Amino acid sequence: MSSTRLFVNWTMDCETIQEESPATGGPADWALAERSMCGFVDSLAARGHRATLFLIPRLAEGLPAVVRELGAAGADLGLHMHPQTTDLGYDRHLGQLPADTQRLLLEQGRDRVAAVTGQAPTSFRPGCFSATWATFPILLDLGFTQGSVTLPGRNYPTRGAVWGNDLPFAHRREGRPGQRFLEVPTAVALSQVGPHREAPCDPDHLRLERDGVADWGPGLIRDYVRCQVERDWWLKSVVVMTHDTRCYDDPNDPYRRNLAVIADAIETTAAEFSLDLAPATLAQVTATLEG
């Protein structure tokens, strides 16, 4: 793999509608969810990029034709998990639950998404980035091979998301012998990652809904990529995230404008550091490594 390649991964957490899960947030109705997902994928495609869509199982079941169409168009259809959105009666976050319960939830979620899409998802992100070290072997056992599970710098014990000093760049997580999970974290402000961050804390990161991201995002991108170049990181990446709550099919939507600003900044930064831009889904990154 070329050391001058910069993988760019655009991701969306696809929540179910608010009526079905008011505790976790989400689009106001199914029509908005569809507009948001389709607009996101189409906006990225117009720029030569692809999307990874992390699907709450109920969202996939609520919009099966839309989900299958987006998958056929090249989107990576992964799994998103808020235990509160399942029918198993849990009201805590994934990282707050014991390993056996996590396995039950992830296995059921995988199978429900697979029943809609026709194939088991291999990419994963938990709601609120809530997970533990024990989550990764479970994911590998269930056939997941890559994801964006952590948010380095986030320290929210009340949500089961404790990643204050976690590695901020792409890396492997070990499972059983011979198993390795590719973790590609959302890009964060590196100055806000480390043991000095007391709970609760949430670092600036490339989330298109984040206040001011169009102003400070380009600088975050430059610093994040520059650090990977200086360290000659083995897999250079920028992960951007959002949710299915805005009309990405509307050029005048503020979040759609944020998308354009961040995409331009990534392209500018890649050129500055003489990197080859490599737009990809998370599954495509793994396929490239194994190819």
Side-chain angles (χ1 to χ4, degrees), residues 125-194:
R125 175 184 285 149
C128 300
F129 297 99
S130 180
T132 63
W133 280 82
T135 308
F136 292 95
I138 296 170
L139 290 169
L140 285 162
D141 284 348
L142 295 176
F144 294 93
T145 51
Q146 65 280 322
S148 191
V149 176
T150 66
L151 183 63
R154 174 169 282 193
N155 189 1
Y156 268 120
T158 57
R159 299 180 185 176
V162 181
W163 310 111
N165 197 34
D166 217 64
L167 191 60
F169 307 129
H171 58 281
R172 297 286 198 179
R173 297 280 182 143
E174 302 296 327
R176 301 180 189 278
Q179 292 183 325
R180 293 191 302 170
F181 184 93
L182 178 64
E183 169 62 8
V184 194
T186 300
V188 299
L190 297 177
S191 63
Q192 298 176 27
V193 177

Side-chain angles (χ1 to χ4, degrees), residues 69-91:
E69 181 179 346
L70 293 173
D76 175 12
L77 304 178
L79 174 66
H80 191 45
M81 175 54 63
H82 283 287
Q84 303 93 326
T85 66
T86 70
D87 57 1
L88 297 178
Y90 296 102
D91 60 3

Side-chain angles (χ1 to χ4, degrees), residues 43-108:
S43 297
L44 293 174
R47 302 186 69 117
H49 292 265
R50 286 188 172 181
T52 298
L53 305 178
F54 296 109
L55 307 173
I56 287 288
R58 179 67 190 112
L59 180 282
E61 294 164 352
L63 294 172
V66 173
V67 165
R68 287 192 289 265
E69 181 179 346
L70 293 173
D76 175 12
L77 304 178
L79 174 66
H80 191 45
M81 175 54 63
H82 283 287
Q84 303 93 326
T85 66
T86 70
D87 57 1
L88 297 178
Y90 296 102
D91 60 3
R92 289 188 291 167
H93 299 281
L94 187 69
Q96 297 175 303
L97 297 169
D100 288 347
T101 304
Q102 290 189 39
R103 181 182 295 273
L104 175 66
L105 287 161
L106 293 169
E107 185 172 18
Q108 187 207 62

